[in-house]
Amino acid sequence: MQLREVKLFKFLFYGINISSMLRIDIITIFPAMFDPVLNESIMKRAQAKKCVDFRVHDLREYSNDSHRKVDDRPFGGGPGMVMTAQPLVDAVKKIKGRRKGVKVIYMCPGGVTFSQAIARHLSREKGLILICGHYEGIDERVRELVVDTSISIGDYVLTGGELPAMVVVDAVTRLIPGVLGREASLDDESFENNLLEYPQYTRPADFCGKKIPLVLSSGNHLAIKNWRNAQAVARTQKFRPDLLKEKKG
Ligand code: SAH
């Protein structure tokens, strides 16, 4: 490629990047829960930099019920309430509109377990709609009609999908190019290349008699790189040997 072509490519790529900023819509009965998380720190900066567009929707606004009800008793009996299909299906349809390539994700303990690989995949999507469930969950027909994937953040049950949605939003957003200051720092992070990150140290070099490994202050970049690689492998071997097995396989 000629220099001019490279410049044109960069310009187009940059242009496309801006126009295809990731939009994340969240459907919840507790919209206020998201304010502190989305409007602080890196999530706030990501929006200001136009890397991501967060929109939080109050599910009750979509209910046809005069009391803005969004739940009902389960058919077949049993404890608790189930979120009704109408508000959820209408909300998804309205929020999606005519946009193509929007992934609808239901936060669900029975979904696929969230991982760095899934976060990376989602960070490249055009649009995500996250549904936060409550009570005993949602009417199964919502999944059949509008949900593309269900994601769990781990094998435990929470009271609602809000915290799981925040986990997904945070992990995905920090992977969007331009959100974190130094992109390079992402490559060494835990779970990239199926390794945990090496130990990190900062000033002072001697804390309570515990000194930093000498190599880190040697200025020898190759030696530092090798030390960090070896530490990452050793640490993974010790705490998460399952990751190394995946790496080989
Ligand atoms: N009765 C359901 C649990 C409902 S928990 C069951 O046994 O599967 C209520 C809501 O919290 C769910 O609808 C889901 O949106 C959310 N939730 C709870 N735990 C979760 C987890 N580990 N990952 C993702 N979402 C979760």
Side-chain angles (χ1 to χ4, degrees):
M1 244 196 267
Q2 299 290 306
L3 185 66
R4 242 186 45 214
E5 284 173 324
V6 172
K7 277 189 178 160
L8 180 67
F9 176 78
K10 275 190 178 167
F11 172 77
L12 285 174
F13 187 74
Y14 191 60
I16 288 163
N17 235 357
I18 285 183
S19 62
S20 63
M21 162 174 46
L22 174 61
R23 173 171 156 187
I24 306 181
D25 290 271
I26 299 157
I27 302 172
T28 169
I29 52 172
F30 295 114
M33 278 179 78
F34 288 87
D35 287 343
V37 173
L38 301 186
N39 296 313
E40 286 285 357
S41 179
I42 299 203
M43 297 303 113
K44 181 181 179 181
R45 245 179 30 217
Q47 294 175 85
K49 283 185 179 172
K50 305 245 178 291
C51 292
V52 66
D53 177 8
F54 299 134
R55 303 190 191 188
V56 182
H57 308 267
D58 184 349
L59 179 65
R60 292 188 193 281
E61 306 276 319
Y62 296 87
S63 171
N64 286 342
D65 179 80
S66 56
H67 298 101
R68 308 196 332 146
K69 211 166 117 94
V70 292
D71 62 329
D72 213 326
R73 283 167 296 138
F75 273 120
M81 301 293 268
V82 174
M83 292 178 86
T84 51
Q86 176 273 314
L88 284 167
V89 170
D90 284 358
V92 170
K93 286 190 174 160
K94 193 135 190 211
I95 292 164
K96 203 170 179 184
R98 292 208 182 130
R99 288 183 298 143
K100 293 258 179 296
V102 176
K103 273 240 154 67
V104 181
I105 300 168
Y106 169 48
M107 304 314 305
C108 170
V112 291
T113 308
F114 193 51
S115 64
Q116 190 69 6
I118 295 176
R120 193 164 283 286
H121 193 76
L122 296 181
S123 73
R124 296 181 184 133
E125 295 286 348
K126 283 192 201 136
L128 305 174
I129 299 178
L130 307 183
I131 299 176
C132 307
H134 260 275
Y135 319 115
E136 291 305 317
I138 62 174
D139 188 308
E140 189 61 20
R141 290 163 295 184
V142 178
R143 289 188 206 244
E144 291 161 13
L145 290 168
V146 294
V147 171
D148 297 310
T149 324
S150 298
I151 291 182
S152 161
I153 61 159
D155 289 349
Y156 39 82
V157 179
L158 299 160
T159 55
E162 283 73 17
L163 290 172
M166 288 178 209
V167 167
V168 169
V169 167
D170 188 295
V172 168
T173 301
R174 66 194 293 286
L175 292 176
I176 299 170
V179 169
L180 294 185
R182 287 176 54 231
E183 304 294 334
S185 66
L186 287 174
D187 298 340
D188 285 347
E189 273 189 333
S190 295
F191 308 114
E192 296 298 334
N193 307 315
N194 278 18
L195 287 174
L196 300 181
E197 197 185 49
Y198 47 79
Q200 299 269 20
Y201 298 87
T202 184
R203 265 155 276 271
D206 184 335
F207 179 70
C208 293
K210 284 196 157 291
K211 294 190 177 61
I212 61 162
L214 263 184
V215 64
L216 295 181
S217 52
S218 67
N220 180 340
H221 296 297
L222 183 63
I224 293 173
K225 191 168 177 244
N226 289 339
W227 180 85
R228 284 180 166 164
N229 277 342
Q231 289 289 320
V233 172
R235 188 167 265 214
T236 313
Q237 190 79 61
K238 185 165 177 198
F239 296 111
R240 292 294 305 274
D242 55 305
L243 292 178
L244 290 175
K245 271 186 218 134
E246 270 176 44
K247 192 178 166 75
K248 278 177 205 143

